[in-house]
Amino acid sequence: VTTHPEPPLMNLSPFFLLPSLGRPQSLRRFFAHAKQTGMVAGGAVLLNRADYLTRQPQYDAMGADGTLPANWKLEVLETNTLGGKLNEWWRAHTNGQNEAVANPCPASAIGILQDDLIPRTPAWDTLLGAAVARHPFVSSGDGINHDRATGAWVFDCGLLQATGWIFPPTLHHIAADDAWETLASLVPGLYAHQPRVVLDHRNAQWGVGARPDATTISIYSQAEWDRGCA
């Protein structure tokens, strides 16, 4: 009997989006750990225009002093919330259409990060890129919720084209993990958690990391409304 080895799965190199609000120091911490763990993927930090103008010297310094990797950039948007930034970015890069358009994504996979994540696993971005070649939606471990989609996310671009959004449109920040997990439960094989790929989630609201700052307080003031929509 002649057997043929299965061809290796393609590694879908993600393009990461990192929404942030009023936390240039958290961004510096993220990129310091990302470099230590060998990140090679590119991406964009998504900033609200008012926030950027208020802290422009601090944000611009990250590019000038090498904190921001050469294949990353700052993108200034109009919306203020995490979900709003992600969906504004998606509309801008797909002409607001659900169907395929020319260059609908800058990469075959789109990753979502947060500024309170700290990469721990070497080559975490490459590992998540390999996993999303098998499942259209994958998430990392976050050091706290070991079986939940509360770490880094990576989506196959085709899945986002099918939904027409990255973040459930009625949500601001909270409960998007619940929404995506619910959707994944309806489609076998859509989602796979990657617990061995860890980015610690230093979420002050969970009692991890620093005390809640103005951004955290603003986010969680919308929690009940968000959970109700989910």
Side-chain angles (χ1 to χ4, degrees), residues 24 27-28 47 51-68 73-76:
L27 291 172
R28 286 185 175 277
L47 300 171
D51 174 36
Y52 172 72
L53 293 175
T54 299
R55 299 174 177 84
Q56 184 171 356
Q58 298 173 68
Y59 287 126
D60 288 349
M62 292 192 297
D65 65 19
T67 295
L68 200 67
K73 59 184 176 179
L74 302 178
E75 286 201 35
V76 178

Side-chain angles (χ1 to χ4, degrees), residues 9-189:
L9 288 171
M10 178 177 61
N11 184 339
L12 301 181
S13 180
F15 182 89
F16 281 96
L17 304 176
L18 201 174
S20 188
L21 179 64
R23 291 174 172 171
Q25 289 306 116
S26 294
L27 291 172
R28 286 185 175 277
R29 180 183 63 183
F30 170 82
F31 284 113
H33 286 272
K35 291 176 181 179
Q36 290 172 10
T37 50
M39 180 183 73
V40 296
V45 176
L46 307 184
L47 300 171
N48 166 261
R49 185 174 303 280
D51 174 36
Y52 172 72
L53 293 175
T54 299
R55 299 174 177 84
Q56 184 171 356
Q58 298 173 68
Y59 287 126
D60 288 349
M62 292 192 297
D65 65 19
T67 295
L68 200 67
N71 58 348
W72 278 73
K73 59 184 176 179
L74 302 178
E75 286 201 35
V76 178
L77 305 172
E78 302 304 322
T79 43
N80 195 45
T81 64
L82 183 149
K85 292 187 186 84
L86 291 172
N87 286 341
E88 181 182 343
W89 182 92
W90 176 256
R91 290 191 299 270
H93 287 267
T94 60
N95 296 332
Q97 301 177 26
N98 292 6
E99 64 271 14
V101 296
N103 302 316
C105 291
S108 52
I110 299 295
I112 310 300
L113 299 164
Q114 298 184 54
D115 59 19
D116 55 2
L117 292 175
I118 299 180
R120 298 298 189 191
T121 302
W124 56 273
D125 55 327
T126 301
L127 293 170
L128 292 175
V132 83
R134 300 175 174 85
H135 303 275
F137 170 36
V138 300
S139 68
S140 75
D142 72 350
I144 303 172
N145 302 298
H146 300 293
D147 60 347
R148 295 293 314 281
T150 50
W153 297 349
V154 178
F155 298 95
D156 183 283
C157 188
L159 175 59
L160 300 180
Q161 287 180 265
T163 62
W165 40 260
I166 297 175
F167 216 81
T170 58
L171 302 183
H172 299 299
H173 186 108
I174 312 303
D177 48 354
D178 301 275
W180 272 109
E181 287 172 346
T182 298
L183 177 61
S185 71
L186 303 175
V187 184

